[in-house]
Structure formats: C-alpha cells, structure tokens
Amino acid sequence: MDSLTHIVLGAAIGELMAGKKLGKKALLIGAVANSLPDIDFIASAFLPTAQDVWAHRGLTHSLLFIVVMTPLLTWLVTRIWPQTTMTKAQWYIFFSVQLFVHIFIDAFNAYGTGWFEPFSHYRVALHVLFVADPFFSVWLAIAFVALLVLRKNHPARKRWAWGGLALSTAYLIYCIGNKITTDAHARADLQGKSYTRYLSTPTPLNNWLWYVVAETDNGFYTGYHSVFDHQPVQFRFQPKNKALLRPFFEHKDLDYLLRFSQGFYTVERWGDTTVFNDLRFGEMKGWEDPKARFVFHYFLEYPDNNKIVVQRGRFAGWSWHTIDVMIRRIRGN
C-alpha cells in the first residue's frame, strides 16, 4: 500500500495496543513501526533499476525480517523510553503486530511481497486492492485526525481507532467479494478460449473496474470487467513475442524482469527500442483506449531510462475525460 496508508494504519493499531500507556506517542511509534519494511526504498539509490524492482518488497517484507527486527526494536525503545510502563513482552507483541500487518496488507496488491525471502523467491500477490485505494484508507485517515485532536485520556479514542480499522476491514472484505464475482464472470466469458493461467487486478483508485488477463501458449487475452456489468468481457489478444528477447538473454536486468513479472509479460518494438511489459500493473487508460500501452514498460536497450519504471505510466495522459470514461465504464456503460 501507499505510505500514507501505512502511517494511519500503524497509528490506529498503536493507539489500541499502547495508547493508555504511551499516550499520543503510541501514534508516532505505531506509524514508524508500520512503515519500517519500506526502508528498502534506500536501495533505489544504489541498485540498477531492474534489480531494485525485484528487491523492493523482498527481504524487508519477509517473515524473517519480523523475526530479526522485533527484538532489535524492543531493545531500542526500552533504552530510549525506560520509564514507560510497557513491558518487554508488550513491546515485542507491539512490533510483531505492526510489522506483520504491513507485509500482510501489501500482499493484497499486484506488486508481490516476499514473505519467504531469502529461502524462497515466491512473491505473495493477491490482486485485491490497488496500491492506493482511497476507499480503504479514508476511514483510517479520519480516525488518525480524530486521534491527533482528542486529548490523550479522552474516552472516545479507542472508538475512533476501532471504527477506522473496522470500516477499512469491511471494505477489504467487500473487495474480496468483488474479486470473486469478477473472476466468476470473466472465467465464464473465457469459455471456448484455451488458457493456462489467469489473473484479475483492480484498476487505479477503485475496486469496481477490474483488468483481466488470461495466458495462452503464445500470448494473453486481456479485457475489463465492471462489477456492475451486464455484458461479457470484450477480450483482445496480446502476443507475447518472446523471440524479441533473444538478443538480451545474457543481460542480468532481463533475468530480474522475468522473475519479477512471474511470466506475465509481453515484448514489443517501439521504433528502435525493445520494450518489456509487465501485464500485472494494467494498461494506461485501457478502458478508454483499446490500444493502450502497459503501465510497466522497461526499455531493454536503454536501462538508464527506466528510473521510475513502476510509476511512470500509472497516470500518464490522464484527463478529466479519462476519469469520466472510467466512471461510465464502472457503471457498466
């Protein structure tokens, strides 16, 4: 999830677990602890882009990271605030919960989370929430503001924290239901098409319009489904073009990209440039433009031009018309 979500989520958990003993410091410590796995952003300054893409949400988002960091953080805070009434066992549980909640909620995105690093490179990606979903985060943000304003011994503090968590959790369950519904419709619409793997992932900033991908031996069927649709998914075929990768088989960055994409990739030629696309992040305005390019695209001949590879296409070319078309498409038009 985005950084703001981790901050307000960590603060709410901090209030519930330690608010009585730490006061408003529980919000700060909770926000920092819940954000800590994203410390891997520092690697971006040192690693080549393809390796950084693979490393992000890797070791620092693993169960091993929780096992190692929890006692270290407990030791640190008991040195900084030895006068608090929090016991070492309570600190240990506090940090374990905060770190686990971070890697747990990140697994609901498309990026993939390395729970089992370094023993396994498998990435957990449930494709339930877009990386920034305001309908998930807004309840926590409202609770966060209330917790900042209310005095530290106000009787309503826990109700605000529980309310924010409960509403966000209810929305997450609703999103899981949307995914189940989407998958049922899309798989039914794929009948008659031979495919080996399938995924669905929400489009930006909502959970009603979904991007659907079905893999075949030499490409992918892709399309869009709204939970309010009364029409079949209109699939189009995207060839994989794996042969275009032959000149790059000895390139280390290609190895990282192949592992990162989990096989959901296509290759294209844009003029004199070979482009590697990761389909899991969807298309730029694909609901508006049937020939839209993919959000995640990597220039294989020009690795230095890929510094913001995951983000650069996410909202490229958006306008009020794009948003209007998306809203109408969500409605089933």
Side-chain angles (χ1 to χ4, degrees):
M1 300 301 292
D2 61 285
S3 298
L4 177 60
T5 298
H6 287 302
I7 289 171
V8 295
L9 178 58
I13 295 172
E15 171 64 29
L16 292 174
M17 295 189 71
K20 283 188 176 180
K21 295 189 174 184
L22 300 179
K24 292 190 178 183
K25 284 199 291 286
L27 304 181
L28 174 61
I29 299 171
V32 172
N34 201 283
S35 302
L36 191 61
D38 283 339
I39 197 173
D40 60 1
F41 80 91
I42 296 173
S44 301
F46 306 100
L47 295 177
T49 301
Q51 186 177 355
D52 176 47
V53 165
W54 171 250
H56 181 51
R57 291 200 184 180
L59 188 59
T60 65
H61 286 64
S62 67
L63 296 172
L64 178 63
F65 183 78
I66 297 175
V67 170
V68 172
M69 289 303 300
T70 295
L72 290 176
L73 291 170
T74 300
W75 175 85
L76 180 63
V77 295
T78 54
R79 296 302 182 276
I80 297 175
W81 291 297
Q83 71 279 11
T84 67
T85 57
M86 290 277 285
T87 66
K88 285 187 177 180
Q90 289 171 328
W91 278 119
Y92 199 95
I93 295 171
F94 180 91
F95 288 121
S96 296
V97 170
Q98 292 284 8
L99 295 173
F100 178 76
V101 167
H102 181 117
I103 70 170
F104 176 76
I105 199 66
D106 272 3
F108 284 87
N109 304 149
Y111 199 98
T113 306
W115 284 4
F116 311 109
E117 293 282 357
F119 311 107
S120 169
H121 296 318
Y122 174 75
R123 296 295 173 96
V124 182
L126 302 178
H127 296 274
V128 171
L129 290 172
F130 187 70
V131 67
D133 189 326
F135 300 96
F136 176 83
S137 305
V138 64
W139 318 111
L140 293 165
I142 293 171
F144 179 73
V145 172
L147 292 171
L148 286 178
V149 172
L150 294 173
R151 66 180 186 274
K152 65 179 182 180
N153 58 347
H154 196 287
R157 291 185 65 84
K158 284 198 180 298
R159 289 199 298 271
W160 277 101
W162 275 120
L165 285 170
L167 289 171
S168 291
T169 300
Y171 177 74
L172 176 59
I173 295 170
Y174 169 72
C175 293
I176 294 171
N178 284 347
K179 184 174 180 67
I180 293 171
T181 301
T182 294
D183 291 348
H185 280 276
R187 288 183 182 276
D189 295 339
L190 281 164
Q191 288 184 3
K193 295 180 173 64
S194 177
Y195 64 97
T196 55
R197 290 195 301 166
Y198 166 94
L199 71 81
S200 61
T201 194
T203 55
L205 305 177
N206 80 100
N207 201 262
W208 298 288
L209 182 61
W210 291 71
Y211 181 63
V212 177
V213 180
E215 183 181 18
T216 71
D217 291 338
N218 57 356
F220 301 88
Y221 292 107
T222 63
Y224 291 86
H225 172 77
S226 167
V227 296
F228 304 109
D229 270 349
H230 300 288
Q231 59 194 25
V233 178
Q234 301 298 311
F235 289 100
R236 69 188 182 101
F237 186 74
Q238 313 258 17
K240 183 172 282 191
N241 295 326
K242 186 176 179 180
L244 293 176
L245 293 179
R246 286 173 185 161
F248 307 95
F249 281 161
E250 301 301 319
H251 292 209
K252 190 64 177 177
D253 55 347
L254 178 59
D255 180 55
Y256 287 119
L257 292 170
L258 289 172
R259 282 194 282 169
F260 176 66
S261 70
Q262 301 177 7
F264 286 98
Y265 72 88
T266 64
V267 189
E268 299 176 298
R269 290 288 295 176
W270 295 2
D272 64 346
T273 305
T274 307
V275 181
F276 182 98
N277 302 306
D278 189 327
L279 275 64
R280 298 171 304 148
F281 297 92
E283 300 171 325
M284 304 180 198
K285 308 185 302 178
W287 55 90
E288 177 184 1
D289 179 6
K291 296 183 179 180
R293 290 175 170 176
F294 291 100
V295 168
F296 183 110
H297 52 277
Y298 187 95
F299 305 125
L300 291 170
E301 282 97 348
Y302 307 101
D304 292 339
N305 293 341
N306 296 296
K307 293 300 182 184
I308 52 173
V309 62
V310 177
Q311 303 293 342
R312 64 182 167 199
R314 199 177 292 275
F315 298 104
W318 276 50
S319 64
W320 287 112
H321 180 262
T322 302
I323 297 171
D324 178 64
V325 173
M326 172 183 267
I327 292 172
R328 286 191 279 114
R329 183 64 189 86
I330 288 172
R331 290 173 176 171
N333 297 332

